[in-house]
Amino acid sequence: KGSDGSFLYCAWFMVLFWSCDFISNFLTSFTKEDVLVRDFRAIAMQYAKSWLFIDLSIVIVDWLAIGLQSVSDPSETANTDAKKYIKVIRLLKAFRLVRVLAVLRSGRFSQVQEVVVRRATVVGVNLQIQFAMGLTKLVFVILWLNHLGSCLWWVFVKNYKDLTNTQHNW
C-alpha cells in the first residue's frame, strides 16, 4: 500500500491547493480601464466570465477522485467498474493543464516578478532577487521535465509489461 498511500497524500495536496485557488480567485482584484476593481460582486462576475467553469470542474473532479479512491478497494478482486471510473476521473484531471497554461500565458507570473523586483530595488537587493527568481524558475523547469520523463518511463514500462506477458520486472 506504499505507492497508494503516497498517491493519496499527493491527491489530497492537489485537491486542497486547487480548492484554495478556486476560493482565492473570488478575492483577487482585477484592473478595468486602468482602475483596480476590488468590489466582491464585480470580481465574482469577472471570474464567472473567465475561468470559473474550468476551475470548478477541476475542483469537482479532484474531490470525486479523492472520494472514489477513499471508498474503492485496492485489491485485484475489486469492482472493475469502480476502477474504470477512477481512471476516467484521473483523465479528466487533465483540465488542470489548461488552467496552468492559461496562467502562464496571462503573464501573471511576470507581473508578480515585476512587483517583487520593484520593491527589492527600494531595499537595494534587486540583483539578488532577480537571480533567486531566475534560479527558482530553472529548478521548476528541471523538476517539470523530470516529471514528464518519469511519466513517459512509466507508460513505457507499463506497456512493455503488457506486451511481453512475461515475469520480467524493471
Side-chain angles (χ1 to χ4, degrees), residues 22-88:
F22 179 75
I23 293 167
S24 71
N25 281 318
F26 282 104
L27 306 173
T28 304
S29 59
F30 66 98
T31 57
K32 183 176 184 180
E33 298 175 3
D34 293 334
V35 175
L36 187 64
V37 178
R38 295 183 182 173
D39 179 48
F40 178 75
R41 189 169 270 154
I43 293 170
M45 291 300 294
Q46 176 68 21
Y47 185 42
K49 292 176 186 175
S50 59
W51 289 102
L52 178 70
F53 176 72
I54 292 174
D55 288 349
L56 184 61
S57 65
I58 289 170
V59 170
I60 288 172
V61 166
D62 279 347
W63 280 108
L64 284 174
I66 290 284
L68 281 176
Q69 187 72 26
S70 298
V71 299
S72 69
D73 182 15
S75 69
E76 290 295 324
T77 60
N79 186 357
T80 57
D81 288 338
K83 288 182 180 181
K84 288 179 185 176
Y85 288 131
I86 290 173
K87 286 182 181 181
V88 168

Side-chain angles (χ1 to χ4, degrees), residues 137-153:
K137 284 182 195 177
L138 183 62
V139 167
F140 278 114
V141 166
I142 290 170
L143 287 173
W144 180 247
L145 290 174
N146 281 328
H147 174 77
L148 289 177
S150 300
C151 290
L152 289 173
W153 181 253

Side-chain angles (χ1 to χ4, degrees), residues 7-8 10-20 54-70 89-96:
F7 171 77
L8 199 56
C10 291
W12 270 105
F13 174 78
M14 293 305 294
V15 76
L16 291 174
F17 172 81
W18 287 105
S19 297
C20 290
I54 292 174
D55 288 349
L56 184 61
S57 65
I58 289 170
V59 170
I60 288 172
V61 166
D62 279 347
W63 280 108
L64 284 174
I66 290 284
L68 281 176
Q69 187 72 26
S70 298
I89 287 178
R90 286 181 186 167
L91 182 64
L92 288 175
K93 290 169 81 172
F95 276 127
R96 187 179 308 136

Side-chain angles (χ1 to χ4, degrees), residues 113 116-136:
Q113 184 178 0
V116 170
V117 168
R118 241 184 287 129
R119 290 186 180 173
T121 303
V122 172
V123 180
V125 292
N126 63 333
L127 292 177
Q128 293 85 351
I129 294 295
Q130 285 179 339
F131 175 76
M133 291 182 90
L135 188 62
T136 303

